[in-house]
Amino acid sequence: MADKKYSILKQFHLPTLEASILNDWKVENTFEKSVANRNGKPAFVFYEGPPSANGMPGIHHVISRTLKDMVCRYKTMQGFQVNRKAGWDTHGLPIELGVEKELGITKEDIGVKITVEEYNQKCREAVVRFKDKWDDITEKMGYWVDLNDPYVTYKNDYIETLWWCLKELHKKDYLYKSVSIQPYSPAAGTGLSSHELNQPGCYKDVKDTSATVLFKMSENDCQQILSSINCALAIDEIYLMAWTTTPWTLPSNLGLTVGPNINYVLVKTYNPYTHKLQYVILAELLLAKYFKDEAENADFEAYTAESKVIPYSVLGMFKGSELEGIRYEQLLPFESNQASLSGGDPFRVICGDFVTTEDGTGIVHTAPAFGADDYKVGQKNNLGIITLVDREGKFIEGTGEYSGRYVKNYKDEKNYQDVNVDIAIELKKRGQAFKVEKYEHSYPHCWRTDKPIIYYPLDAWFIRTTAVKERMVELNKTINWKPKATGEGRFGNWLENMVDWNLSRSRFWGTPLPVWRTEDGTEEICCGSIAEIKSMLHEDSPEKELKDVHKPYIDQVILKSPSGQKMYREPDLIDVWFDSGAMPYAQWHFPFEASSTDPQQRSLPKDFPADFIAEGVDQTRGWFYTLHALAVLLFDSVAYKTVVANGFVLDKFGNKMSKRLGNVVDPFETIHTYGADATRWYLVTNASPWDSLKFDLKGIEEAQRKLFNTLYNTYTFFALYANVDQFTFEETYIPIPQRNEMDRWIISSLHTLIGTVQTHMDDYEPTKAGRAIDEFVDQHLSNWYVRLCRRRFWKGEYETDKIAAYQTLYECLETLCKLIAPFAPFFSDWLYKNLNAISQRETQTSVHLCDFPLVIIDDIDHDLEQRMGLAQDACSLLLSLRKKSTIKVRQPLQKAIIPLIDPSMEVKIRSVEDIIKNELNIKDIEFIAADNDLIKKKIKANFKTLGSRMGAKMKAVAHEISLMTSAQIAELEKQESFVFEMDGESVTILLSDVEITSDDIPGLLVASKGSLTVALDINLTPALIEEGLARELVNKIQKIRKDSNFELTDRISVLIEDYEMLKNPLNNFYSYICTEILADSLSFSPEMQDGTEIEVNDHKLKVFITKTN
RNA sequence: UGGCUCGUAGCUCAGUUGGUUAGAGCGCUACACUGAUAAUGUAGAGGUCCCCAGUUCAAAUCUGGGCGGGCCAACCA
């Protein structure tokens, strides 16, 4: 028993300590145990958002994983069982692009230079390229997640569940095929994803031929418009003005869209190209774009072809809604764009909310084939669709002179004649162009061919998410979003504006769409399992085994329809977001693995929904959305109850981290240098997780110093003396009420802290929890409790008070271990193990197997905490007075004086009097009553209570109050109210309407904070000076002891060189000095050879110390 | 361009329902303390609370409009 010692490190180095703890966890299977020892306990369900191991982990991964880990560890300690299944996202464009770059090929080469089979094999290898790195960072940062049995999105089982989901959707008629307008590169012959479009450099400023063109209104509608504005003129031709930057879309025009609430005007003017009189309609607000102010109502007669100013006059005005339904003549009719081919009722004016008066004419040329908005509004208004451009980007046959011409120079023809220009010229000649000019704007280009993209109708498969929009909105309101605004704002708005989910991707490495169709399209099946596919195989199917469900094998599967026809797979792959969104089901291979005995298990996957997920805000419309959408579509449920959306990690200047800027932070290096715990602590306490974080390594250093060094120092202080006294917590537990004021105070604060931490953690506010711990460790434990209690640990016998001190400090350290365990899993475990190894108080071998501390209400004493706060304030004030007086703390002073503004203050301060006296080295504290003449009082209005009552008079009243004399203040205090005259009115104020503080005590040094005022008597008596000298001597000798590396317990004998000033102090304080410095003898010597020189009162003298034991 | 979010000391951040001297830590300077000592205390310097307007007796705080950073979605006629 006697040789049991708390271990103290030679050097405190967090990364080294972490390595040893990491080893413990491996050897002891701590993670597995922490889950297993909660068997039978309620589950806390967590989903891991799958990262892609195709890239290196960055520091931003460390922040979200810290968050996840912290919550899971906390919930585990709260008694829940928290399974943490890892996952890998393995499909998708970035992986394909990576492989293509590596092999130096493009998409066109796939199937030519490399088979799809080989290509997919490369992708399969690439997705786990950095898996080792990921596993490494996961381990080193202390992220506990089960890496042994992860879900992997490319595995057959995983994909089979995705198919099951798709079939369910298909059954509910939520899966359908339709055209959609998508970015398309005619040069590359491929559709582009938004991701590709967002590659840097894709948007370029280009000059295009823009044209404001005139659509001729039908004669009937013409008359109707004229009569609606009471226009008596005989006008038989009115033109609707519309603007386009892509004249090649004009032959495909099927409608004109106006804003229902926008004002439009009918204008009489001349056509600038034909110079003929013309009547046109455009938005009132855009008149200035086409006409000069001075041209309004100018002389029409004087106009000639040479005139610079074209006169115009407004004949009438109407709302866009009044134009709705007006018909117009087709602008560029050909055989291939006849109305009957559109499938709708084209060439009408329709209304659309997206119309603005920012530019153009306020009337939008609408070609449903070549714009997403156009398509949407066209569908809504039954315009039909006409696509006069083929997939190579050229006009189809049957478009007259334009047939076969490319709409942009896709083939790099040397003598390319811009078809847009030709169309504009044609319209000018016909008097149906009003303005043709070059227009500069930014336009997306294909990142591979550098050619402009076009928007083009492509076949695609959709999920009808809009069918459950209301339900998604409703269920979203039940989700606990952190921060709340992300759920209500960003996510809520997104849901409100939801469109159907476009699932299709024309790629190679991804989950195949399990839909087969007969060639005539009459029969269609969506397969929900591999078994189902196998049961429907056509005897001619080249592929029957399906060992790998990816392309190209899946495309070789031919099914047999119920009527016996061959069915071929739709070639699409599905959006990777579907992969991750279906992860709650697919990670368990639901429903294929569900036990058949449990009906509950068969209808709902296990661990569904999640209690908690966390990822970056960028996932709001990504993973958070797809999880939510699928859960609602499939199970009419939320997928997660709480979601934390963390912000981004920026560099220390607030710039985005990017490889290009070279400001990325290497998480491996950071953790290696500073330790995972310091890094985690910094990430959590520096800013709320959802605020963006300016990452600065200095902040980690600070966390290391501030929290971990302080805690470690506190521990070594404890260990140092506990080892001397052999404290092992074997003595009977001293009940808290029997401990002294300081002990009860720190225990009370500790339990208040437990409550605070728990509240914040339950509310997913780890930043607040961490900051509360920071403050406790620094302000309360280290700089107050330990500092003030030091003597109790190294003075006196090993009896009750000392044991109480040990027990108290031990409890604080042990509890803190548990509180910080979720944040700093390594250090907390190290400290816990060190403490517990000696005390054997608990049976757990790791802090992570412990329960979270409970708040013991009885140990909390708010009064005491308040009193101690008063003591801390008083000390701080008195120290500042000492500083002013330049009398060092070692010099005792006679007394401090505290005026009592509030009578209850005396009792409070009396109870902490000893603490203040010790801390300040003063003999006494004296109180002077409030009515004492010595105190000069200061009065100030209490704006909060008075403001609401006084209103506009507030300022004047406050001024009056500040002018009150001492006598008036005394009267107010006595009567508890006071009346004064102001502008002939009497105003009554109550005691609660003012704040009275003491201002000054004549003849004394005074300082105050809030209602507390203190004064210090700095008169020195000879006795005080003697004592000061005695203390000075003690201090110097202690320093020598320390410098000579004496043991704490070594006893000494001391010889001091003669010095008159020290004679009295030495005699009068002989025993005091000896006790302090553990001296057996202490005497003067007239002359000394050896010894250490010290300085007392600016006098140099020698001291000689020898060990006596 | 739209939605969301952030903007307070040189840096990182607090700042309750609006209440009058706007705080803390780090960093800097000076002094002090010292058997926890790469710690600590006290003091000093350091502010257009992003800007403008409004509401109010009173605005860092509420409202409107800008500006700047970030994320997401677009980039259109």
Side-chain angles (χ1 to χ4, degrees), chain A residues 39-323:
Chain A
N39 274 337
K41 294 284 168 58
F44 179 82
V45 179
F46 162 74
Y47 293 159
E48 164 77 341
S52 169
N54 163 57
M56 282 282 278
I59 195 76
H60 53 289
H61 294 108
V62 176
I63 169 88
S64 61
R65 302 178 125 214
T66 297
L67 210 60
K68 295 190 234 183
D69 188 55
M70 221 165 41
V71 171
C72 291
R73 285 181 191 264
Y74 171 73
K75 290 292 176 182
T76 300
M77 293 179 80
Q78 287 282 2
F80 294 94
Q81 186 169 46
V82 189
N83 281 302
R84 283 158 261 181
K85 193 180 176 77
W88 297 108
D89 189 16
T90 56
H91 286 145
L93 190 65
I95 291 154
E96 291 198 8
L97 294 182
V99 165
E100 285 164 32
K101 197 172 165 194
E102 188 186 333
L103 297 177
I105 60 169
T106 66
K107 197 186 171 190
E108 290 72 48
D109 297 328
I110 303 163
V112 183
K113 287 187 188 166
I114 181 174
T115 65
V116 173
E117 195 174 359
E118 288 162 345
Y119 178 80
N120 274 0
Q121 186 51 40
K122 286 286 177 194
C123 289
R124 192 184 288 259
E125 288 160 15
V127 295
V128 288
R129 176 163 308 144
F130 294 110
K131 185 174 178 295
D132 288 350
K133 287 283 179 193
W134 277 88
D135 286 354
D136 192 37
I137 199 80
T138 302
E139 192 176 82
K140 295 243 172 74
M141 69 167 286
Y143 181 36
W144 272 1
V145 61
D146 183 5
L147 293 169
N148 297 321
D149 182 27
Y151 63 90
V152 180
T153 60
Y154 73 67
K155 293 261 171 88
N156 280 1
D157 279 357
Y158 196 93
I159 291 174
E160 190 172 30
T161 295
L162 301 181
W163 287 351
W164 174 85
C165 294
L166 286 164
K167 185 180 176 134
E168 290 296 304
L169 297 176
H170 192 256
K171 271 196 247 171
K172 295 181 181 180
D173 193 29
Y174 288 156
L175 184 65
Y176 67 95
K177 187 178 187 176
S178 170
V179 283
S180 86
I181 311 300
Q182 296 163 40
Y184 176 81
S185 169
T190 176
L192 297 172
S193 66
S194 58
H195 176 263
E196 285 168 297
L197 233 48
N198 278 326
Q199 301 256 333
C202 277
Y203 281 88
K204 299 182 190 193
D205 285 334
V206 288
K207 278 189 176 171
D208 279 325
T209 300
S210 75
T212 304
V213 298
L214 300 167
F215 292 84
K216 186 177 171 194
M217 201 183 271
S218 79
E219 275 181 48
N220 277 349
D221 291 319
C222 206
Q223 295 315 316
Q224 199 190 317
I225 283 290
L226 290 170
S227 64
S228 78
I229 56 170
N230 296 320
C231 177
L233 294 170
I235 300 169
D236 53 3
E237 283 187 3
I238 297 178
Y239 291 89
L240 294 152
M241 268 171 81
W243 178 63
T244 180
T245 54
T246 51
W248 60 266
T249 60
L250 288 169
S252 303
N253 169 281
L254 295 177
L256 292 172
T257 311
V258 297
N261 295 315
I262 295 172
N263 288 325
Y264 293 87
V265 286
L266 174 63
V267 176
K268 175 187 170 187
T269 186
Y270 287 101
N271 184 290
Y273 302 111
T274 63
H275 313 296
K276 286 182 182 156
L277 201 60
Q278 213 164 32
Y279 297 89
V280 300
I281 289 176
L282 73 163
E284 184 199 12
L285 288 168
L286 290 160
L287 270 173
K289 287 223 167 192
Y290 296 91
F291 303 104
K292 293 182 176 165
D293 275 354
E294 65 265 30
E296 189 167 12
N297 300 323
D299 187 357
F300 274 71
E301 300 299 323
Y303 177 77
T304 67
E306 281 71 39
S307 299
K308 290 226 163 110
V309 174
I310 305 174
Y312 81 99
S313 63
V314 175
L315 302 180
M317 184 156 79
F318 27 83
K319 288 268 177 215
S321 51
E322 294 175 61
L323 293 171

Side-chain angles (χ1 to χ4, degrees), chain A residues 15 189 272 301 303 359 374 436 474 477 548 596 625 690 800 808 862 904 914 1050 1067:
Chain A
E301 300 299 323
Y303 177 77
D359 45 26
D374 302 46
V436 174
E474 202 176 303
K477 289 178 182 152
D548 177 1
S596 55
Y625 174 70
W690 31 88
T800 312
T808 303
H862 292 298
S904 73
D914 289 343
D1050 286 340
N1067 283 333

